[in-house]
Amino acid sequence: MTFRLIVPDFETLSPTELSVAGAWRYAEDPATEVLCLAWTLDGQLMSPWVPNDMVVGAALRALAEDPETIWVAHNAAFEKAIWRNIMVPRYGFPPIPNSRWRDTMASAAMLGLPLGLDQCAQALRVPNQKDSEGSALVRKLNRQYVKSPWDRPAIPPETVHRITEYCERDVIAQTDLVQAMPPLPPGELNVWLLDQRVNERGVRLDEPFIRACQRIVDGAIAPMAAEFHALTGLNVTQTQALLAWCHEHGAPKLPNLQKLTLRRALGPSAALIDDGEEPEDDEEDAVEVGPLPPDVARALTIRMIAGSSSIKKLPSMLGCIGRDGRARGAVQYHGAATGRWAGRLFQPQNFPRPVGVMEGVHHDPETLVAFLKTAEPDLVQAVLGSPIEVVVSALRHAITADREHVRRVLCAADFAQIEARTVLALAGQHDKTALMASGQSPYLDMGATIFGRPISKKDDPSEYQTSKNTVLGCGFQMGKKTYYDRYGKANGQTMEQCEEAIWAYRRDWAPQVPKLWQGLEDAAFDVAYRRKVSAEFAGCEYRLEDKWMTCRLPSGRKLWYFSPQQCRKAMPWVKDDIRDAWRFLARKNGRVRPVYAYGGLLTENVVQALARDLMAAAMFRCEKNGYPVVLTVHDEIVTEPEEAHADPAELVQIMSELPAWGRALQIPVAAEPWIGTRYQK
DNA sequence: GTACTCTGCGCC
DNA sequence: AAACGGCGCAGAGTAC
């Protein structure tokens, strides 16, 4: 059986902004047009298709119908959306099932490479002359279209010709990429297909509610922004300028304008968000600030509220809602190097938790939403408090279940302390995993170790908090300085006490865990530095493969470290301790940057990756058992089952079932569910 | 204008 | 003797 490989690449024109709308809504827009489709077949550049070209169209139709032709694109979701929404209904092409699509962006994601076509090609040294003139031409046409969508002038034939050339160059680069990267192995291909199903299903957003929130925010922000401008002459977002202004107006020098710095500077009178953590000061110790001049205090208070960046989710959500009320393409397969999904469009993975004025106020989401849909800012202020903070706290309720077509609900569950449990299991710290499996609190146990006496959650709240921080934070080689900065300072602990907590974890509570750090560090070093063929520890096997070092996990999946290199590195704890080490190139904000490997980092990678594999396995089971997945948030799965047979206990059952490798590792999983008509925390 | 970096902030 | 991990996005500021 011989499979054929077609690589298609569209050039399109639309008044819709792709980065805002996402591929689906972009393709749904009746004003979006296909200018041309360039393609290669088994590596050969073919004649491009332009709309209504019957000859090339017939060839494409045959390939679309052929069950043995595989379609490959870079970010296939785009090509798929154009095909489904334009090529099929407008030009009569047959649909192409998901099973016949592949995605080089998915391969790039798995391999730790940049996701952008050009940066990815560059990292792999695939020759790819960028046609910046061609892309500028397409951008220009689109700008003109945005300006006058009702009266788009005809495109001159020579321009179409030039764009087709550009499109051909792109498709050749994409074809080269197909050959430069290994394809997804079968297990990951299935995860990607699952990802495509989830992204095409989309998540329902409550547009009237989002618009109501936007009205409240606009109403509340306008007077604040005006007052702020009258006071300072600035916009609330001008960070450096505001810092300077504060100093000029008699305030002590503030290190930054982070929320917690402001909270501390403003003192307890500022009735604002308090999450119990102290700000980090890069300057030695915190500047003790006395009472601020009233103008400065007022300006900073406004900045704190009006600067809530999460309200930007409102326009982001509105921008990508499709015709049926659902947003598609909100998660990216393998967006993180460890395989976790990353958020896209309105970034559904970082909705604020209810805080501040709403903290401890347990509203039924539907009641709160119904109220906000009709209320003016003044009424919100009178009933619940600061309108902005109320909206921020209710933002996640914009995600809803479909009640119109089939009555559905949202049913979700998250894995309890999944990473803390996985690191203990992988390290073979079986007394502690047994403790967790039996339902006892590891924090009380850790507390007894640190403090040398039994503690209780109720009577020793600060000791309890310390042990919780230790259990959750110390699995990946966190040091005393970081521990102090992050937890100790806020709890009034001295550096010595922090050091004791850390050593209580490493020496007494989970002594197997430092052995895991060391074991993974040594194994990876043997391969990446000493060029040993392979080395294994705790079921994780490192190996050199082409331009990568891979780590085969107990789940069978591999992590890919791109371009591992020998180097020398100063240890962080003392200046003149310089050792042989290795580094690799990692994707950071779409670029590649060197990252220096050490045991704690490798441990974290492996553990986060295994937690993701537990998630993916659970997602497959959800899909199979009538709980369609609409969102994944690292340790949480949100599903949208039919109300008639949605049962949170059943979802817990589904999530708690382990794949064979998870049972072998004895990972003690537990899941905590909720059910309702709206996303909640 | 466009691309890039930095700061700040939300989440797990 | 022992290491702050993983993301996306908005806006400001800077360089070309």
Side-chain angles (χ1 to χ4, degrees):
Chain A
M1 198 168 283
T2 50
F3 280 85
R4 284 196 288 185
L5 209 70
I6 175 170
V7 180
D9 183 45
F10 286 111
E11 284 311 322
T12 55
L13 196 57
S14 175
T16 293
E17 175 69 51
L18 176 59
S19 61
V20 172
W24 189 264
R25 176 160 163 175
Y26 179 89
E28 263 191 352
D29 183 346
T32 297
E33 298 171 41
V34 172
L35 293 176
C36 67
L37 170 60
W39 51 296
T40 63
L41 186 63
D42 293 329
Q44 291 297 111
L45 184 64
M46 309 299 280
S47 280
W49 178 85
V50 291
N52 303 316
D53 180 329
M54 305 306 265
V55 178
V56 180
L60 283 173
R61 171 184 315 277
L63 292 167
E65 279 166 351
D66 177 13
E68 287 170 26
T69 296
I70 298 293
W71 293 59
V72 190
H74 195 74
N75 188 20
F78 180 79
E79 266 70 24
K80 286 161 72 175
I82 297 290
W83 193 271
R84 190 73 57 87
N85 288 292
I86 297 178
M87 298 299 274
V88 173
R90 219 178 282 177
Y91 299 107
F93 285 95
I96 303 164
N98 272 355
S99 57
R100 286 206 279 121
W101 283 96
R102 300 291 184 271
D103 193 343
T104 48
M105 185 182 277
S107 291
M110 177 186 79
L111 298 170
L113 298 169
L115 301 187
L117 181 69
D118 291 328
Q119 291 109 311
C120 180
Q122 202 185 338
L124 285 169
R125 310 218 182 287
V126 170
N128 169 31
Q129 295 116 333
K130 227 173 131 176
D131 184 351
S132 43
E133 193 191 303
S135 75
L137 187 57
V138 173
R139 272 202 306 274
K140 193 175 143 202
L141 279 182
N142 271 296
R143 266 201 308 279
Q144 289 169 353
Y145 201 175
V146 174
K147 271 187 200 146
S148 55
W150 53 88
D151 182 27
R152 183 176 74 66
I155 303 165
E158 61 268 26
T159 307
V160 174
H161 182 71
R162 182 67 188 83
I163 288 172
T164 305
E165 276 180 356
Y166 163 63
C167 193
E168 286 180 333
R169 203 177 286 196
D170 249 22
V171 85
I172 290 168
Q174 290 186 23
T175 306
D176 290 345
L177 265 193
V178 176
Q179 278 129 30
M181 289 186 288
L184 299 191
E188 281 306 288
L189 178 59
N190 281 332
V191 176
W192 179 75
L193 288 168
L194 168 69
D195 162 89
Q196 296 294 291
R197 203 152 67 231
V198 170
N199 272 316
E200 281 164 24
R201 175 177 296 135
V203 55
R204 184 164 175 89
L205 298 179
D206 183 346
E207 185 169 342
F209 173 58
I210 298 167
R211 292 195 187 281
C213 287
Q214 189 67 63
R215 274 197 302 277
I216 292 171
V217 167
D218 291 345
I221 269 192
M224 295 176 95
E227 184 187 348
F228 187 87
H229 189 80
L231 213 53
T232 62
L234 303 169
N235 298 327
V236 284
T237 45
Q238 288 180 275
T239 313
Q240 292 308 313
L242 180 58
L243 276 171
W245 181 88
C246 291
H247 194 51
E248 283 162 23
H249 287 73
K253 210 159 187 179
L254 294 166
N256 52 49
L257 287 178
Q258 290 173 14
K259 193 148 66 182
L260 293 162
T261 309
L262 297 193
R263 209 193 91 244
R264 186 198 270 179
L266 288 164
S269 61
L272 286 162
I273 298 159
D274 180 355
D275 64 10
E277 280 183 43
E278 290 291 301
E280 290 190 21
D281 307 302
D282 289 331
E283 332 310 84
E284 252 325 284
D285 258 348
V287 232
E288 271 314 315
V289 278
L292 297 171
D295 276 3
V296 172
R298 182 64 189 151
L300 293 178
T301 304
I302 293 175
R303 147 116 195 166
M304 275 187 78
I305 295 177
S308 295
S309 54
S310 23
I311 56 180
K312 290 294 171 349
K313 285 205 195 303
L314 295 169
S316 305
M317 286 190 281
L318 284 179
C320 64
I321 301 178
R323 279 208 284 269
D324 61 354
R326 302 180 77 88
R328 292 176 172 79
V331 290
Q332 167 70 49
Y333 164 79
H334 214 302
T338 51
R340 297 214 292 207
W341 277 264
R344 286 290 187 266
L345 300 174
F346 57 97
Q347 177 38 333
Q349 296 174 327
N350 72 345
F351 276 100
R353 293 160 156 271
V355 283
V357 288
M358 300 300 289
E359 200 161 29
V361 185
H362 292 294
H363 291 275
D364 164 53
E366 285 299 341
T367 312
L368 177 60
V369 165
F371 172 69
L372 292 176
K373 274 181 173 174
T374 58
E376 297 300 315
D378 288 349
L379 181 61
V380 178
Q381 176 77 55
V383 176
L384 294 169
S386 163
I388 307 271
E389 286 183 64
V390 172
V391 166
V392 165
S393 285
L395 271 180
R396 66 173 66 221
H397 300 331
I399 293 180
T400 68
D402 188 357
R403 311 290 287 167
E404 284 170 22
H405 308 96
V406 186
R407 283 176 74 85
R408 294 180 178 272
V409 287
L410 295 182
C411 191
D414 66 291
F415 285 124
Q417 310 126 15
I418 187 62
E419 292 195 6
R421 290 170 187 236
T422 303
V423 73
L424 291 167
L426 189 64
Q429 193 69 51
H430 297 305
D431 53 338
K432 300 311 178 196
T433 54
L435 181 86
M436 287 172 139
S438 74
Q440 289 181 65
S441 167
Y443 309 140
L444 297 178
D445 188 64
M446 178 80 246
T449 306
I450 298 176
F451 301 105
R453 64 177 174 84
I455 65 160
S456 86
K457 187 176 179 178
K458 199 160 76 71
D459 299 332
D460 314 284
S462 96
E463 284 84 353
Y464 183 83
Q465 190 61 42
T466 296
S467 353
K468 186 174 170 178
N469 295 338
T470 310
V471 170
L472 294 178
C474 285
F476 308 121
Q477 217 170 348
M478 179 192 287
K480 62 184 174 188
K481 188 178 180 319
T482 303
Y483 188 95
Y484 174 75
D485 288 344
R486 208 196 269 187
Y487 310 119
K489 244 193 266 183
N491 293 341
Q493 290 170 284
T494 63
M495 187 67 89
E496 288 67 36
Q497 288 169 320
C498 291
E499 192 171 2
E500 273 167 36
I502 282 179
W503 281 105
Y505 180 95
R506 293 180 183 176
R507 192 187 50 222
D508 304 323
W509 198 74
Q512 293 302 315
V513 170
K515 293 183 194 165
L516 177 62
W517 305 334
Q518 193 65 55
L520 291 178
E521 178 157 326
D522 291 346
F525 185 84
D526 281 347
V527 174
Y529 191 95
R530 295 207 181 99
R531 306 282 153 171
K532 207 172 144 188
V533 174
S534 74
E536 186 266 354
F537 192 84
C540 303
E541 188 194 49
Y542 295 92
R543 183 180 286 275
L544 289 173
E545 293 190 45
D546 193 9
K547 296 169 181 163
W548 290 267
M549 181 174 74
T550 58
C551 173
R552 192 180 44 72
L553 304 164
S555 61
R557 179 163 70 98
K558 286 175 182 170
L559 290 180
W560 297 70
Y561 294 93
F562 181 53
S563 200
Q565 293 157 348
Q566 297 170 330
C567 65
R568 293 185 53 78
K569 183 179 182 271
M571 298 295 108
W573 51 85
V574 44
K575 282 277 176 284
D576 49 2
D577 189 354
I578 297 175
R579 303 186 187 179
D580 291 336
W582 66 280
R583 65 182 185 194
F584 60 100
L585 297 179
R587 151 164 46 97
K588 300 261 180 216
N589 309 331
R591 310 202 72 75
V592 281
R593 291 173 193 280
V595 171
Y596 295 84
Y598 62 91
L601 178 73
L602 299 172
T603 305
E604 162 109 57
N605 287 172
V606 164
V607 166
Q608 197 177 95
L610 288 175
R612 178 277 201 179
D613 289 342
L614 288 179
M615 283 285 291
M619 287 163 69
F620 283 116
R621 294 192 300 271
C622 288
E623 291 279 327
K624 206 161 58 188
N625 289 286
Y627 291 83
V629 176
V630 294
L631 210 56
T632 154
V633 192
H634 314 313
D635 67 354
E636 177 188 21
I637 300 177
V638 184
T639 70
E640 191 182 6
E642 291 183 24
E643 186 168 33
H645 47 81
D647 175 9
E650 187 188 16
L651 182 61
V652 167
Q653 203 62 40
I654 291 168
M655 282 185 65
S656 306
E657 206 180 294
L658 283 179
W661 59 266
R663 288 197 300 275
L665 277 176
Q666 301 177 48
I667 303 172
V669 300
E672 292 156 3
W674 55 261
I675 188 167
T677 51
R678 291 180 184 274
Y679 192 29
Q680 55 191 273
K681 207 50 195 181

